Amino acid sequence: MATATTYGARDHARAQEGTRTEAMPVVPAADWPEPPCEAGHLVWAETVAGGNYTHRVLARGTELRLTDLRGDACAHLLLYAADRPWERLNVADTVKVQWNAYLGEGQLLLSDQGRVLATVVADSSGRHDALCGTSTLVRNTRRYGDGTPQSPSPAGRELFKLAAAKNGLEPRDLPPSLSFFQGVEVREDGALDFTGSAGAGGSVTLRTEQDVTVLIANVPHPADPRPDYVSTPLEVLAWRAAPTAPGDPLWDATPEGRRAFLNTAEFLTARGLA
């Protein structure tokens, strides 16, 4: 089909309607073939290609499931309070307050205000990282020859910049991120061992405890020792549910977690949101 004219380009574009590729959003999300929730509750359904990114604003009480489809996805994650982007994921506090550097079921993802942005409610992978952050332009250029967003080896921070800009955020608004599906362990001498993936099909489910802006970059972990840029598709599904409430085992699992939930509830109540 000729695209040398505006009419030809328009006809070509319209001819693509209904065409699906392996990695793309499904709009509306309700068209996802096997939703993991009640009918009509799915709000986000997307497959993110390796070396790509996505973003979405999710309401409080949404459950977000990430799945490593082929065993070589790495979901680098940032969270922001949706209407207050200065309150954002603080990886250092997430680790320090909970006395645990390893992410998994039951862990809370905390802001620098001592409040809960999201909770890890399920995890079948166990290979995650809260220590290394994502890859950078300098690192990827040195290692793969290029790290720009349009290259075959985009860096995570460069993709985060694009996702951030689409949500009114700037590069200075990008803190250290968490990484899911590619793990790191700390040795006795303080050195880091890359433990890699648990294999295809691993998933992690987060529950949002506030309205949040989610940024995800699916790129190789910076500690991955393989010489090639290896990054495979990531499935992203989100559906309406309910936030963690008093009486939920997660609420009272630890004194530190209980205080973080109380901080969150007090703030939301004062704003008339809970």
Side-chain angles (χ1 to χ4, degrees):
M1 185 178 294
T3 59
T5 68
T6 302
Y7 292 119
R10 181 195 63 187
D11 292 342
H12 175 74
R14 288 179 174 177
Q16 309 309 307
E17 184 179 16
T19 301
R20 292 190 181 275
T21 62
E22 179 186 34
M24 65 180 295
V26 172
V27 181
D31 286 349
W32 187 262
E34 297 181 9
C37 57
E38 294 182 39
H41 283 211
L42 201 65
V43 298
W44 187 9
E46 182 171 356
T47 304
V48 183
N52 212 330
Y53 71 97
T54 189
H55 57 96
R56 189 66 57 98
V57 178
L58 297 178
R60 176 174 177 250
T62 301
E63 294 198 352
L64 170 64
R65 189 181 75 187
L66 309 176
T67 302
D68 180 0
L69 294 175
R70 297 184 189 170
D72 275 315
C74 187
H76 301 266
L77 177 80
L78 287 174
L79 298 173
Y80 302 79
D83 62 342
R84 308 178 316 283
W86 53 88
E87 182 174 0
R88 59 195 59 166
L89 176 67
N90 188 305
V91 174
D93 283 357
T94 293
V95 169
K96 177 180 65 177
V97 170
Q98 298 177 93
W99 308 96
N100 190 349
Y102 298 107
L103 299 168
E105 185 173 336
Q107 295 297 107
L108 314 181
L109 308 186
L110 303 176
S111 76
D112 58 358
Q113 304 297 311
R115 295 190 281 256
V116 190
L117 292 171
T119 308
V120 182
V121 296
D123 176 24
S124 66
S125 169
R127 300 290 182 88
H128 314 304
D129 171 40
L131 301 173
C132 296
T134 193
S135 53
T136 63
L137 176 63
V138 170
R139 176 198 172 279
N140 277 30
T141 300
R142 182 174 62 245
R143 183 162 189 182
Y144 304 117
D146 200 346
T148 56
Q150 294 77 27
S151 74
S153 49
R157 182 169 171 79
E158 297 306 298
L159 296 181
F160 273 145
K161 288 179 183 179
L162 298 180
K166 293 178 180 180
N167 289 277
L169 303 169
E170 300 179 7
R172 66 179 182 177
D173 295 313
L174 297 174
S177 57
L178 298 174
S179 303
F180 292 99
F181 305 122
Q182 301 289 338
V184 167
E185 291 183 351
V186 182
R187 298 201 306 247
E188 289 290 335
D189 63 1
L192 299 178
D193 280 336
F194 179 69
T195 58
S197 167
S203 67
V204 61
T205 302
L206 310 179
R207 177 188 296 153
T208 61
E209 308 294 353
Q210 302 186 46
D211 294 351
V212 295
T213 300
V214 181
L215 309 185
I216 299 172
N218 180 25
V219 299
H221 191 281
D224 190 331
R226 291 175 291 185
D228 296 328
Y229 188 95
V230 181
S231 182
T232 55
L234 172 75
E235 181 184 275
V236 180
L237 298 177
W239 57 92
R240 293 194 299 271
T244 305
D248 188 299
L250 286 175
W251 187 284
D252 292 312
T254 67
E256 297 83 7
R258 181 166 55 250
R259 181 52 185 260
F261 277 121
L262 289 172
N263 289 343
T264 308
E266 179 184 49
F267 174 78
L268 294 174
T269 299
R271 298 193 68 193
L273 301 176

